[in-house]
């Protein structure tokens, strides 16, 4: 799931209920209207999330819109679930307002698999880091080409509704992310090459034995001091 | 799609002996009609050399370059110059417009040099300026135009007279983000209309406008990214 945690699904669906009550399938459609299928949301997730929001008294059934047992304890969704219309409660509105007035925390850096992979790769003998970087760059560039194509065609290219503008902004976010990743890969490549040319990068041939004292200096510091 | 530009195992060595530099070390590369290809690489990778050789501004040490089926090496200087005026359009980072000429005169110049009468050349120039969206600026001088407008004039000059190969060397380098995007949109639409385009850039966001991105390192093509597949992942489900 990465940076797309359960928390933001919950907040996003709750916020979409602000303008008025909706059925679960409508919520999903409204969500995808704004985000494409970038973060696909299955119907089950929508109903599970709504059930939790209801448990926490942030949403409630609209009277007479469906059976009370629409979502049972085991998380199974019968046909009745689709017929329940949900409305946001006062405390739900409070939660939405808090969401919009609180920055998304950046305490946990979002993209880490690639950084971790590279961090491990550069320290291991026998890993072809240059081709790792190139393969990633090609893959990320392919994605960037796809996002760019979506941006210049279809409803994102001439947004005349707020939902289309939202979608084009989501695409921009994907474009900026991919671009940043490629720039970072270029940067890694350049630094690794320089380090190799200057001959100061030696990867340990076998696992380093744990040190009993703090390591005095890195290779880089030894060279530059 | 037919190959408008084809480089076959091209090498380029600058200098000799101890100062010998291998700018290109055996590059094969094709740009077809209707296709925009981006070439990406760090400075010194050989990407600009590739473009100058493709445009007949420089000659390969070995290997061949063909434009619309004609091998440039077999042409001689005059023949290559004619090829540049009639088949190859070049767009530079710093526009390279002639300051003493108006927009229309700049665009008409390659046609006039090719022997076209000035009235006919001007008509072609006005059509090209129209195509890049600045027909109204035909009688302005370069210093009376913004960077984005000047680059549009340069693109009009590159496409005037039905030239089918457009080579662009960092064409957005001197422009702000939005203006740069307009220029890419223009190159893109020209390729969609049937030209072959080669775009040299170090900006991933700009390269992403291309159908293919070719990565070059140390004078060699190391990889290539085509674009298909992942698009469906982002399409909105009905």
């Amino acid at each position: 799931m990465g940076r797309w945690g359960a928390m933001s699904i919950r907040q996003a669906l709750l916020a979409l209920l602000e303008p008025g009550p909706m059925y679960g399938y409508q919520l999903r459609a409204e969500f995808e209207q704004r985000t494409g299928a970038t973060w696909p949301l299955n119907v089950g997730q929508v109903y599970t999330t709504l059930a939790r929001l209801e448990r926490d008294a942030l949403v409630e059934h609209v009277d007479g819109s469906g059976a009370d047992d629409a979502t049972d304890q085991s998380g199974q969704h019968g046909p009745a679930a689709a017929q329940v219309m949900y409305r946001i409660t006062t405390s739900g509105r409070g939660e939405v307002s808090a969401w919009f007035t609180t920055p998304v925390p950046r305490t946990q850096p979002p993209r880490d698999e690639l950084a971790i992979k590279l961090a491990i790769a550069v320290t291991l003998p026998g890993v072809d880091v240059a081709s790792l970087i190139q393969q990633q760059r090609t893959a990320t560039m392919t994605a960037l080409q796809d996002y760019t194509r979506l941006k210049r065609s279809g409803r994102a290219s001439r947004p005349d509704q707020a939902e289309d503008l939202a979608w084009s902004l989501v695409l921009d976010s994907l474009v900026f992310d991919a671009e940043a990743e490629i720039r970072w890969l270029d940067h890694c490549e350049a630094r690794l090459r320089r380090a190799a040319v200057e001959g100061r990068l030696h990867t340990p041939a076998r696992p380093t034995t744990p040190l009993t004292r703090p390591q005095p200096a890195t290779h880089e510091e030894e060279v530059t001091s | 799609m037919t190959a408008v530009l084809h480089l076959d195992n091209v090498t380029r060595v600058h200098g000799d002996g101890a100062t010998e530099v291998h700018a290109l070390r055996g590059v094969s590369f094709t740009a077809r009609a209707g296709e925009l290809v981006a070439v990406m690489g760090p400075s010194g990778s050989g990407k600009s050399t590739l473009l100058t050789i493709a445009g007949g501004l420089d000659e390969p040490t070995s290997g061949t370059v063909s434009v619309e089926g004609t091998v440039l090496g077999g042409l001689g200087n005059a023949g290559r110059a004619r090829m540049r005026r009639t088949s190859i359009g070049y767009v530079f980072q710093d526009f390279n417009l002639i300051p003493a000429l108006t927009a229309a005169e700049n665009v008409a110049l390659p046609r006039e040099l090719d022997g076209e009468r000035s009235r006919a050349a001007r008509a072609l120039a006005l059509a090209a300026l129209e195509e890049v969206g600045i027909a109204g600026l035909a009688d302005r001088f370069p210093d009376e135009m913004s960077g984005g407008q000047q680059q549009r004039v340069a693109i009009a000059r590159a496409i005037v007279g039905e030239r089918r190969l457009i080579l662009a060397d960092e064409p957005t380098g001197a422009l702000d983000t939005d203006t740069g995007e307009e220029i890419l949109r223009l190159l893109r639409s020209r390729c969609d209309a049937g030209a072959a385009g080669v775009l040299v850039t170090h900006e991933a966001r700009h390269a992403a406008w291309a159908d293919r991105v070719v990565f070059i390192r140390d004078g060699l093509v190391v990889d290539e990214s085509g674009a298909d597949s992942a698009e469906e992942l982002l399409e909105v489900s009905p």
Side-chain angles (χ1 to χ4, degrees):
Chain A
M1 277 255 132
R3 47 203 303 207
W4 177 235
M7 198 57 186
S8 34
I9 296 180
R10 178 183 153 104
Q11 310 287 24
L13 295 188
L14 187 58
L16 284 171
L17 283 172
E18 271 235 304
M22 258 188 273
Y23 294 102
Y25 68 87
Q26 280 181 301
L27 268 177
R28 177 168 174 252
E30 290 292 327
F31 182 80
E32 294 199 340
Q33 190 67 20
R34 290 155 178 82
T35 59
T38 313
W39 300 287
L41 202 53
N42 67 47
V43 172
Q45 271 174 296
V46 174
Y47 289 122
T48 309
T49 307
L50 284 168
R52 288 188 189 138
L53 288 168
E54 189 174 24
R55 178 198 65 198
D56 298 340
L58 301 172
V59 302
E60 61 194 9
H61 280 189
V62 174
D63 288 341
S65 68
D68 285 342
D69 61 349
T71 305
D72 69 28
Q73 297 304 318
S74 64
Q76 296 297 306
H77 313 291
Q83 291 158 30
V84 180
M85 191 180 244
Y86 291 88
R87 136 174 89 215
I88 193 166
T89 62
T90 307
S91 52
R93 287 184 196 279
E95 179 130 339
V96 169
S97 140
W99 189 43
F100 286 133
T101 51
T102 312
V104 174
R106 298 208 54 105
T107 44
Q108 295 199 313
R111 182 194 301 115
D112 35 42
E113 187 185 338
L114 178 57
I116 290 169
K117 193 199 261 194
L118 208 66
I120 305 298
V122 295
T123 61
L124 290 183
V127 179
D128 186 347
V129 181
S131 31
L132 187 164
I133 289 176
Q134 184 53 50
Q135 280 168 13
Q136 184 66 48
R137 181 163 36 216
T138 302
T140 307
M141 179 52 83
T142 301
L144 184 52
Q145 286 172 272
D146 289 339
Y147 302 147
T148 305
R149 205 139 21 106
L150 285 168
K151 255 185 68 176
R152 67 167 201 258
S153 59
R155 62 192 179 97
S157 64
R158 284 175 302 279
D160 45 25
Q161 289 180 39
E163 291 82 358
D164 296 344
L165 181 61
W167 165 228
S168 93
L169 293 175
V170 167
L171 281 171
D172 284 337
S173 160
L174 298 171
V175 165
F176 285 127
D177 257 10
E179 186 189 18
E181 187 169 291
I182 291 171
R183 285 184 61 186
W184 180 70
L185 288 165
D186 289 347
H187 169 79
C188 293
E189 181 183 66
R191 287 204 54 190
L192 287 165
R193 280 173 158 232
R194 204 169 66 220
V197 167
E198 293 170 4
R200 60 183 156 83
L201 199 72
H202 25 94
T203 47
R206 56 195 146 79
T208 323
T209 43
L211 294 168
T212 50
R213 58 188 166 79
Q215 206 166 3
T218 67
H219 299 308
E220 192 166 356
E221 281 159 353
E222 282 166 10
V223 167
T224 52
S225 60
Chain B
M1 285 190 293
T2 51
V4 175
L5 169 68
H6 183 61
L7 272 66
D8 187 25
N9 203 19
V10 163
T11 69
R12 179 67 173 99
V13 183
H14 297 291
D16 51 26
T19 59
E20 195 170 272
V21 177
H22 293 257
L24 294 177
R25 299 189 293 156
V27 169
S28 295
F29 176 91
T30 299
R32 298 174 187 85
E35 187 181 45
L36 178 61
V37 187
V39 179
M40 279 197 88
S43 45
S45 59
K47 60 186 195 301
S48 289
T49 303
L50 186 150
L51 208 66
T52 51
I53 284 179
L57 300 172
D58 186 13
E59 287 179 67
T61 305
S62 68
T64 57
V65 182
S66 347
V67 176
E68 302 204 82
T70 305
V71 177
L72 295 189
L75 288 177
N77 283 337
R80 264 206 311 282
R82 183 180 158 76
M83 197 76 174
R84 284 202 302 272
R85 291 194 305 268
T86 57
S87 299
I88 306 169
Y90 224 110
V91 182
F92 304 88
Q93 175 170 341
D94 48 5
F95 324 135
N96 281 18
L97 299 177
I98 296 174
L101 300 181
T102 64
E105 288 164 351
N106 265 287
V107 176
L109 191 61
R111 300 308 310 135
E112 291 196 48
L113 290 174
D114 201 45
E116 193 104 48
R117 299 165 69 113
S118 62
R119 186 186 295 262
R122 183 174 167 88
L124 288 171
L126 293 178
L129 287 169
E130 171 105 52
E131 191 170 335
V132 301
I134 48 166
L137 305 180
D139 295 318
R140 294 231 190 136
F141 289 93
D143 66 0
E144 298 170 324
M145 289 183 277
S146 70
Q149 290 167 341
Q150 290 184 60
Q151 194 60 302
R152 280 169 188 264
V153 175
I155 290 178
R157 182 183 56 187
I159 65 179
V160 70
E162 301 292 305
R163 280 178 288 182
R164 293 214 305 150
L165 176 60
I166 304 171
L167 306 173
D169 194 353
E170 301 277 6
T172 56
L175 306 173
D176 64 64
T177 310
D178 285 348
T179 315
E181 197 136 298
E182 292 291 307
I183 294 302
L184 289 165
R185 202 175 287 277
L186 209 54
L187 282 176
R188 179 72 252 180
S189 68
R190 186 65 194 182
C191 293
D192 290 342
V198 182
L199 165 70
V200 162
T201 183
H202 65 274
E203 292 255 16
R205 189 155 34 90
H206 295 158
W209 283 72
D211 300 294
R212 285 191 291 135
V213 181
V214 171
F215 295 94
I216 185 163
R217 291 285 181 286
D218 302 323
L220 285 172
V221 172
V222 293
D223 208 353
E224 188 176 299
S225 85
D228 30 41
S229 67
E231 191 159 23
E232 305 82 55
L233 296 175
L234 285 169
E235 279 304 333
V236 180
S237 55

